[in-house]
């Protein structure tokens, strides 16, 4: 078999049909990474960029691609000033430390420094102080946190689907705050095509369809000043696998998606698609690039910062759900519509608390679910002043 | 331990609503079910007093329940609607007999006028005649294309104000997922709309948009409505099959995901800078089309001119064929043969079934899987629906849509009831009740039908064009006429 680019003997097969030699394969991945940053023309020369690492495959490759880019000759040089961040504290303590230590080692092999941040400490603190670089020691005292700020136990009581969602939103919040602290206007996260396809379908499944543009597209524009970019979006899991093998990189498998959740079901589904119908996965991502939102309101969800919907008379799934509860309560809602207005509000509050004013659809449902347990952490977190 | 009905009516609850989990008695469930549909109709202003409305009737559970509920609500709330049933008969010997019988039963039960329009009336050709012309290979193309337009043509003939279809919440959520998988942004935008139809066309409305399929089945069961249940042993199409399998798995984890997906669809928009294929009307027949001349008209032209394969391939090919035909009227025979041969060559290359043989239930596909199995469902190398044809080649005539026998069918209802019925004595009664055409007992093989549906829907890699030009439209789905998405 010969490489489809240079006709030398091939060594890497992509999608079971395209053959490359190692060299051409690596050039191709580098090209995908650089063109993804380049063609969107958002980044300008020597911007500070916060790079968020997980220790997993895509994070490992991103780190390597950045290092390569920075060490290129003048006209090919990637012009950015990277800062590195890793969020820890939701897994088993020993495992968390192993991962954090690996990331520190990875970064140091490139002469980079990395901030290891404990999710609970950082999320609930007010002053946004980052710990000293390359240190895991002072970030693992979260067990002493009180029950209101112990995210791990709070999320443990919720459904896996909601926990997965909330964890992602909290991490994004921390990314933004840390970026402000480090004077970065940009953030890189390492989602691949495969991950983004999972995220798109997950968004749909939990009612975040109108947020697809920010959550799955090339960049997240929800913060006024700081953009979250996804430079790995054209690279697949399969390609990561080859990249890591060829460069002999060390990664650690970090699966943060909790099982028995919508996200885990979707992940299994997408993995099968990737295996059998790889083009469908990229189609899913291309679809995401065309999706916008009807929510043009400038009010934002207090938790996920997405635009809230405009008031509208059009019937939606919210109306239908509220009405289902209303009829199950046995009220004759049509006959004397006006008498039940207060009850209607109560029912709405019992199904979609603070929706449209403070929360988007999904965050409202998450809030409801969290509220069934301890004092609601939504209130003491980013979404205060309810 | 009896659970009281949540409405406070004083009776004991007999079922848990699949949609909300609320425990209700039978009467309150009926009332809740109907009142919700009434709410949808009034809030979305689907009808105006005095309107003539055609209920697209297939004899399946969705359209049967729709007809029943519309009839009930029309009387209860004085909608002032002139309701009628509209069915399409493809003219395939034996194909519609049972379902049309069921529709006739609906007509008598609900005292609604029924119009059965045949392809012969609509297009001048029956499917049997088309098969005779074209052979079995390509008839699914005709069947699918004609079916998509049949309701519009039928409604125009009846002079109705709108068409009500039986699409339920599950169908819509599934369609959202399907359109994402196939990257069909235009349909993604349209598919959650409760009313569809561009200017100058007869709008279609979906009164069951927020109604769960499970509740429809339970309503039909407890109301003892007669419906005909058919299922295709083939996947409707690869994308819908994937979407359905995914939705089923997700529903097990969070039942509300059906509503959540619909909400997602409702609040999504197409970015302004994305240009959608414009919808226009066909210059010949005036029905909705994406091209100057709609596919149905091209196919008809072909049939009428004795060039039946016209329109099956690419449209550029069709154009060329027509040009040749017109230019060489004198050399009619030669050109026909040449064109047919040309098409044959193209077709034969395409017609290898892409189904993974181990998954294709047809048995027809064995040994036809030479084309690489990994070629994606999105690959543009194989245009048109031709790849699906092997699977469906004898769809017409003896369509693989099998009549799900009453055993399996009752099993399905039973499985559902077992899960949602509160009082166990109710389950025992189920077998005897006449909800289905041919009810009979089946205490063994519970779950059978669910599993079956699952496996055959998965991973069948048939390529389809943008439109579902396969038999899927007819035999893919229980109940509703599956058109219009
Ligand atoms: Zn090469
Ligand atoms: Zn939100
Ligand atoms: Zn009751
Ligand atoms: Zn036409
Ligand atoms: Zn067929």
């Amino acid at each position: 078999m010969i490489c489809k680019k240079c006709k030398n003997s091939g060594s890497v097969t992509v999608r079971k049909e395209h053959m490359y030699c190692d060299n051409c394969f690596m050039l191709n991945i580098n090209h995908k990474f650089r063109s993804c940053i380049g063609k969107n023309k958002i980044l300008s020369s020597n911007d500070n960029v916060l790079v968020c690492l997980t220790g997993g495959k895509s994070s490992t490759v991103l780190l390597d691609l950045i290092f390569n880019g920075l060490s290129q000759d003048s006209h090919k040089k990637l012009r950015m000033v990277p800062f590195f961040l890793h969020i820890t504290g939701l897994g088993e303590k020993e495992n968390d430390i192993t991962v954090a230590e690996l990331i520190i080692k990875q970064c140091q092999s490139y002469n980079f420094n990395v901030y290891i941040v404990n999710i609970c400490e950082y999320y609930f603190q007010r002053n946004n102080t980052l710990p000293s670089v390359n240190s895991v020691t002072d970030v693992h005292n979260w067990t002493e946190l009180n029950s209101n700020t112990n995210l791990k136990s709070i999320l443990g009581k919720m459904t896996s689907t909601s926990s997965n969602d909330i964890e992602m939103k909290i991490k994004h919040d921390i990314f933004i705050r840390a970026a402000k602290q480090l004077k970065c206007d940009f953030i890189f996260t390492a989602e691949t095509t495969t991950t983004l396809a999972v995220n798109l379908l997950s968004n749909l499944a939990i009612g975040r369809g109108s947020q697809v543009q920010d959550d799955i597209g090339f960049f997240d524009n929800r913060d006024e000043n700081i953009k979250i970019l996804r430079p790995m979006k054209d690279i697949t899991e399969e390609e990561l696998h080859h990249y890591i093998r060829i460069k002999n990189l060390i990664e650690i498998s970090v699966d943060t998606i909790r099982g028995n959740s919508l996200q885990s079901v979707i992940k299994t589904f997408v993995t099968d698609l990737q295996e059998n119908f790889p083009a469908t996965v990229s189609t899913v991502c291309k679809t995401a690039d065309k999706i916008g939102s009807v929510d043009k309101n400038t009010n934002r969800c207090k938790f996920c910062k997405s635009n809230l919907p405009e008031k509208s008379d059009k019937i939606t799934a919210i109306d239908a759900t509220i009405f289902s509860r209303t009829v199950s309560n046995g009220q004759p809602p049509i006959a004397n519509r006006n008498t039940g207005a207060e009850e209607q509000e109560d029912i709405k509050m019992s199904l979609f608390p603070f929706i449209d004013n403070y929360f988007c659809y999904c965050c409202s449902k998450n809030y409801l679910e969290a509220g069934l347990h301890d004092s609601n952490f939504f209130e003491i977190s980013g979404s205060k002043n309810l | 331990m009896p659970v009281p009905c949540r409405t406070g009516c004083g009776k004991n609850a007999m079922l848990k609503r699949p949609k909300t989990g609320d425990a209700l008695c039978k009467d309150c469930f009926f009332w809740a079910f109907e009142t919700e549909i009434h709410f949808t109709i009034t809030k979305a202003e689907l009808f105006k007093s005095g309107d003539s409305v055609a209920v697209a009737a297939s004899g399946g559970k969705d359209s049967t329940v729709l007809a029943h509920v519309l009839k009930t609500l029309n009387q209860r709330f004085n909608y002032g609607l002139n309701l009628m049933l509209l069915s399409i008969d493809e003219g395939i010997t034996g194909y519609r007999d049972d379902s049309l019988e069921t529709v006739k039963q609906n007509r008598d039960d609900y005292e609604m006028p029924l119009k059965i329009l045949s392809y012969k009336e609509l297009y001048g050709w029956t499917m049997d005649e088309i098969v005779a012309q074209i052979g079995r290979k390509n008839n699914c193309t005709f069947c699918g294309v004609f079916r998509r337009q049949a309701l519009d043509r039928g409604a125009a003939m009846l002079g109705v104000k709108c068409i009500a279809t039986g699409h339920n919440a599950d169908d819509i959520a599934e369609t959202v997922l399907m359109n994402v998988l196939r990257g069909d942004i235009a349909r993604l935008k349209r598919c959650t709309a409760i009313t569809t139809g561009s200017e100058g066309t007869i709008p279609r409305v979906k009164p069951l948009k927020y109604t769960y399929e499970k509740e429809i089945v339970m309503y039909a069961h407890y109301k003892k409505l007669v419906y005909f249940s058919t299922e295709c042993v083939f996947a409707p199409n690869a994308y819908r099959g994937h979407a359905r399998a995914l939705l089923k798995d997700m529903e097990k984890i969070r039942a509300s995901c059906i509503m959540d997906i619909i909400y997602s669809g409702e609040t999504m928009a197409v970015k302004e800078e994305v240009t959608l294929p414009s919808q226009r009307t066909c210059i010949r027949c005036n029905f909705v089309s994406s091209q100057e001349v709609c596919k149905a008209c091209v196919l008809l032209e072909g049939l009428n001119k004795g060039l039946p394969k016209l329109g099956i391939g690419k449209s550029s090919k069709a154009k060329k064929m027509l040009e040749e035909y017109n230019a060489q009227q004198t050399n009619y025979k030669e050109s026909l043969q040449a064109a047919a041969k040309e098409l044959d060559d193209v077709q034969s290359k395409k017609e290898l079934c892409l189904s993974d043989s181990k998954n294709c239930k047809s048995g027809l596909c064995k040994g036809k899987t030479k084309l690489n199995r990994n070629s994606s469902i999105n690959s543009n190398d194989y245009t048109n629906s031709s790849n699906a044809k092997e699977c469906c080649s004898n769809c017409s005539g003896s369509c693989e849509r099998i009549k799900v026998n009453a055993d399996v069918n009752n099993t399905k209802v039973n499985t559902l009831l077992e899960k949602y019925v509160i009082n166990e004595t109710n389950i025992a009664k189920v077998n005897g009740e006449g909800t289905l055409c041919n009810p009979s007992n089946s205490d063994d093989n519970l779950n059978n039908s669910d599993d079956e549906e699952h496996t055959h829907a998965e991973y069948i890699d048939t390529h389809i064009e943008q439109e579902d030009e396969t038999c899927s439209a007819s035999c893919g789905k229980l109940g509703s006429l599956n058109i219009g998405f």
Side-chain angles (χ1 to χ4, degrees):
Chain A
M1 292 291 274
I2 55 162
C3 169
K4 64 184 274 186
K5 281 270 157 59
C6 70
K7 311 297 177 206
N8 287 331
S9 77
S11 52
V12 182
T13 318
V14 178
R15 282 192 190 175
K16 297 176 186 163
E17 50 181 345
H18 303 298
M19 198 73 181
Y20 295 98
C21 66
D22 282 4
N23 194 30
C24 291
F25 173 80
M26 296 305 272
L27 282 174
N28 182 33
I29 300 296
N30 259 290
H31 172 77
K32 281 190 183 185
F33 168 68
R34 296 298 295 269
S35 74
C36 194
I37 300 173
K39 77 180 167 208
N40 289 280
K41 292 211 170 68
I42 300 168
L43 216 56
S44 47
S45 206
N46 294 321
D47 274 324
N48 288 349
V49 178
L50 179 67
V51 182
C52 302
L53 303 175
T54 63
K57 279 199 180 79
S58 60
S59 156
T60 302
V61 172
L62 175 61
L63 190 58
D64 195 64
L65 287 167
I66 290 172
F67 176 77
N68 282 341
L70 292 172
S71 38
Q72 295 283 320
D73 296 343
S74 52
H75 72 284
K76 278 184 169 174
K77 189 175 161 67
L78 179 61
R79 297 184 189 282
M80 59 176 259
V81 182
F83 292 79
F84 297 90
L85 175 77
H86 170 63
I87 297 176
T88 187
L90 282 181
E92 293 305 315
K93 190 168 177 173
E94 265 152 51
N95 193 46
D96 275 0
I97 291 174
T98 312
V99 173
E101 280 170 348
L102 175 90
I103 292 171
I104 293 172
K105 218 169 102 191
Q106 283 181 331
C107 287
Q108 284 179 336
S109 74
Y110 300 112
N111 266 325
F112 295 141
N113 291 321
V114 56
Y115 295 93
I116 310 292
V117 165
N118 180 289
I119 192 166
C120 306
E121 269 194 2
Y122 200 82
Y123 189 59
F124 292 109
Q125 72 168 355
R126 292 281 163 262
N127 56 6
N128 291 347
T129 318
L130 287 163
S132 49
V133 294
N134 306 332
S135 158
V136 276
T137 49
D138 50 341
V139 296
H140 279 288
N141 50 2
W142 50 265
T143 38
E144 288 144 40
L145 296 164
N146 69 46
S147 65
N148 286 339
T149 54
N150 188 342
L151 270 179
K152 194 177 161 184
S153 89
I154 294 168
L155 294 180
K157 288 176 196 155
M158 299 180 68
T159 60
S160 315
T161 304
S162 305
S163 306
N164 286 331
D165 180 53
I166 291 169
E167 179 184 334
M168 207 189 286
K169 299 301 168 204
I170 286 178
K171 284 186 172 167
H172 274 226
D173 187 71
I174 294 177
F175 293 161
I176 300 272
R177 280 157 58 187
K180 278 191 183 131
Q181 185 79 3
L182 293 166
K183 304 204 163 27
C184 296
D185 284 342
F186 298 95
I187 295 170
F188 279 3
T189 54
E191 294 96 333
T192 57
T193 306
T194 320
T195 318
L196 289 172
V198 172
N199 293 356
L200 169 58
L201 291 167
S202 300
N203 256 40
L204 293 180
I206 58 178
R208 292 196 185 276
S210 65
Q211 300 161 15
V212 162
Q213 192 176 351
D214 283 321
D215 284 334
I216 287 92
F218 175 65
F219 67 93
D220 184 331
N221 205 16
R222 275 176 283 218
D223 190 88
E224 272 170 62
N225 305 307
I226 298 169
K227 313 252 167 293
I228 302 178
L229 312 191
R230 305 182 178 100
M232 308 282 283
K233 76 186 277 271
D234 297 325
I235 298 171
T236 66
E237 300 285 338
E238 186 195 12
E239 289 166 334
L240 291 182
H241 180 79
H242 292 309
Y243 190 106
I244 285 171
R245 183 181 50 77
I246 291 167
K247 293 213 76 177
N248 212 1
L249 301 175
I250 298 161
E251 43 91 22
I252 200 161
S253 94
V254 276
D255 194 358
T256 52
I257 296 183
R258 292 166 186 80
N260 198 26
S261 61
L262 294 182
Q263 294 92 343
S264 65
V265 165
I266 289 168
K267 192 179 174 196
T268 308
F269 174 79
V270 170
T271 307
D272 285 353
L273 273 189
Q274 182 75 67
E275 178 71 18
N276 298 302
F277 312 102
T280 302
V281 176
S282 58
T283 303
V284 168
C285 286
K286 278 182 205 132
T287 312
D289 292 336
K290 297 175 190 159
I291 295 175
S293 161
V294 296
D295 303 343
K296 303 281 187 226
N297 197 326
T298 46
N299 286 338
R300 285 171 182 275
C301 171
K302 296 267 186 288
F303 190 70
C304 72
K305 316 292 190 287
S306 302
N307 289 331
L308 292 172
E310 301 264 19
K311 289 245 179 306
S312 154
D313 283 341
K314 266 194 176 169
I315 187 169
T316 66
I318 297 176
D319 302 305
T321 305
I322 292 172
F323 194 81
S324 282
R325 175 52 54 81
T326 311
V327 290
S328 287
N329 285 350
Q331 281 140 20
I334 307 297
N336 40 2
R337 221 180 213 162
N338 299 325
T339 57
E342 227 168 82
E343 270 159 313
Q344 283 290 311
E345 271 311 303
D346 288 349
I347 289 172
K348 190 170 181 181
M349 193 65 193
S350 75
L351 290 167
F352 301 104
F354 304 110
I355 197 167
D356 299 345
N357 297 319
Y358 293 101
F359 291 135
C360 68
Y361 179 88
C362 184
C363 288
S364 168
K365 289 182 66 166
N366 287 345
Y367 174 89
L368 180 70
E369 201 189 310
L372 298 176
H373 307 288
D374 350 76
S375 72
N376 201 325
F377 78 95
F378 277 70
E379 287 161 22
I380 48 174
S381 65
S383 41
K384 41 217 165 230
N385 309 325
L386 280 178
Chain B
M1 259 279 282
V3 184
C5 173
R6 188 189 161 105
T7 63
C9 71
K11 279 179 259 179
N12 285 332
M14 77 172 295
L15 57 88
K16 246 168 74 181
R17 290 191 68 186
K19 190 175 179 181
T20 60
D22 297 321
L24 297 181
C25 72
K26 193 152 109 180
D27 288 333
C28 288
F29 169 67
F30 290 155
W31 176 80
F33 183 91
E34 290 155 5
T35 309
E36 277 182 33
I37 297 168
H38 171 60
F39 174 76
T40 306
I41 289 169
T42 48
K43 174 99 183 171
E45 298 172 340
L46 298 187
F47 309 118
K48 284 197 195 66
S49 180
D51 279 358
S52 294
V53 177
V55 180
S58 64
K61 66 174 184 343
D62 297 305
S63 67
T64 298
V65 166
L66 178 63
H68 176 84
V69 171
L70 283 182
K71 157 103 179 163
T72 307
L73 296 176
N74 194 29
Q75 284 172 346
R76 186 182 298 161
F77 297 103
N78 292 317
Y79 288 168
L81 299 180
N82 176 22
L83 295 168
M84 57 192 88
L85 298 165
L86 170 59
S87 286
I88 305 298
D89 180 6
E90 294 86 349
I92 304 168
T93 309
Y95 171 72
R96 279 279 174 200
D97 296 359
D98 296 318
S99 56
L100 288 177
E101 275 316 304
T102 315
V103 176
K104 285 174 191 160
Q105 187 71 44
N106 290 163
R107 169 197 64 198
D108 300 339
D109 291 349
Y110 312 142
E111 296 164 318
M112 269 186 218
L114 163 66
K115 182 72 187 171
I116 298 175
L117 285 171
S118 64
Y119 274 16
K120 186 82 179 171
E121 287 166 273
L122 293 169
Y123 300 106
W125 293 77
T126 68
M127 274 312 292
D128 281 347
E129 287 166 353
I130 293 170
V131 172
Q133 272 281 318
I134 192 156
R136 289 197 156 188
K137 260 190 180 169
N138 296 311
N139 61 46
C140 276
T141 305
F142 283 84
C143 197
V145 169
F146 284 175
R147 183 188 314 279
R148 249 181 297 121
Q149 217 182 62
L151 271 188
D152 291 322
R153 289 194 178 216
M157 283 173 84
L158 293 178
V160 295
K161 271 273 155 46
C162 77
I163 307 166
T165 61
H167 294 107
N168 60 44
D170 302 52
D171 293 335
I172 292 166
E174 186 181 296
T175 308
V176 170
L177 296 176
M178 178 181 77
N179 286 330
V180 169
L181 293 182
R182 65 179 181 184
D184 191 336
I185 193 83
R187 281 201 175 71
L188 181 60
K189 186 186 156 194
R190 282 202 299 270
C191 71
T192 52
I194 195 162
T195 304
T196 50
S198 41
E199 219 172 301
T201 64
I202 297 171
R204 297 190 184 186
V205 301
K206 304 174 192 131
L208 304 182
K209 177 181 173 186
Y210 298 110
T211 307
Y212 274 35
E213 184 166 88
K214 287 196 173 87
E215 299 208 344
I216 290 173
V217 173
M218 291 175 92
Y219 184 85
H221 171 74
Y222 284 119
K223 282 275 179 184
K224 298 178 186 164
L225 303 184
V226 175
Y227 64 88
F228 181 77
S229 200
T230 63
E231 246 173 285
C232 182
V233 290
F234 294 96
N237 71 50
Y239 299 102
R240 191 172 281 284
H242 289 310
R244 188 171 301 168
L246 176 61
L247 186 66
K248 287 222 157 119
D249 287 345
M250 293 201 295
E251 203 193 340
K252 283 177 205 146
I253 286 176
R254 184 181 267 193
S256 75
C257 76
I258 291 174
M259 290 300 256
D260 298 341
I261 292 169
I262 294 177
Y263 183 79
S264 280
E266 287 171 340
T267 50
M268 270 183 326
V270 179
K271 276 190 194 166
E272 279 122 27
E273 62 267 27
V274 178
T275 47
L276 296 175
S278 59
Q279 278 215 309
R280 46 168 304 161
T281 51
C282 169
I283 54 165
R284 299 220 178 164
C285 66
N286 259 327
F287 291 103
V288 186
S289 167
S290 52
Q291 247 110 45
E292 196 177 6
V293 178
C294 75
K295 193 115 192 205
C297 286
V298 173
L299 290 176
L300 274 177
E301 175 95 8
L303 282 172
N304 294 334
K305 287 194 165 160
L307 289 169
K309 287 186 177 174
L310 191 70
I312 289 170
K314 285 182 177 161
S315 56
S316 57
K317 191 132 266 169
K319 210 167 188 180
K320 200 170 150 205
M321 279 178 72
L322 256 189
E323 276 162 13
E324 274 174 25
Y325 172 84
N326 291 332
Q328 305 180 17
Q329 277 290 340
T330 44
N331 281 328
Y332 170 67
K333 262 193 177 165
E334 283 87 337
S335 82
L336 176 61
Q337 278 162 357
K341 183 169 185 306
E342 198 182 347
L343 258 181
D344 272 344
D345 291 341
V346 179
Q347 294 292 332
S348 60
K349 283 195 202 106
K350 289 181 190 166
E351 259 157 24
L352 298 172
C353 179
L354 285 189
S355 316
D356 187 328
S357 60
K358 80 173 187 285
N359 289 314
C360 180
K361 300 277 174 179
S362 69
L364 293 170
C365 304
K366 297 239 170 73
K368 295 253 177 192
T369 51
K370 274 175 234 142
L371 276 185
N372 80 58
R373 286 158 41 177
N374 306 311
S375 72
S376 82
I377 27 185
N378 291 311
S379 150
N380 285 321
D381 299 343
Y382 311 103
T383 48
N384 201 301
S385 59
S386 49
N387 292 318
K389 277 166 207 153
E390 272 305 325
C391 272
C392 289
S393 55
N394 50 4
C395 156
S396 325
S398 66
C399 180
E400 292 86 0
R401 140 198 159 305
I402 45 155
K403 190 164 140 191
V404 168
N405 64 40
D407 278 358
V408 181
N409 225 323
N410 235 3
T411 296
K412 216 167 185 177
V413 177
N414 274 341
T415 314
L416 194 63
L417 295 179
E418 202 167 68
K419 211 166 148 198
Y420 293 97
V421 164
I422 288 169
N423 190 343
E424 271 180 35
T425 54
N426 291 311
I427 298 175
K429 281 188 215 151
V430 167
N431 291 323
E433 287 185 350
T435 42
L436 303 159
C437 287
N438 305 303
S440 73
N441 270 344
S442 75
D443 288 329
D444 31 23
N445 66 21
L446 281 177
N447 286 324
N448 178 14
S449 64
D450 256 5
D451 291 346
E452 165 63 12
E453 191 173 334
H454 225 91
T455 48
H456 88 68
E458 276 172 343
Y459 309 125
I460 294 192
D461 185 5
T462 50
H463 179 83
I464 43 126
E465 214 183 7
Q466 273 227 322
E467 319 269 353
D468 293 346
E469 290 179 2
T470 64
C471 61
S472 65
S474 66
C475 45
K477 192 82 169 100
L478 290 167
S480 59
L481 283 164
N482 229 352
I483 326 163
F485 279 128

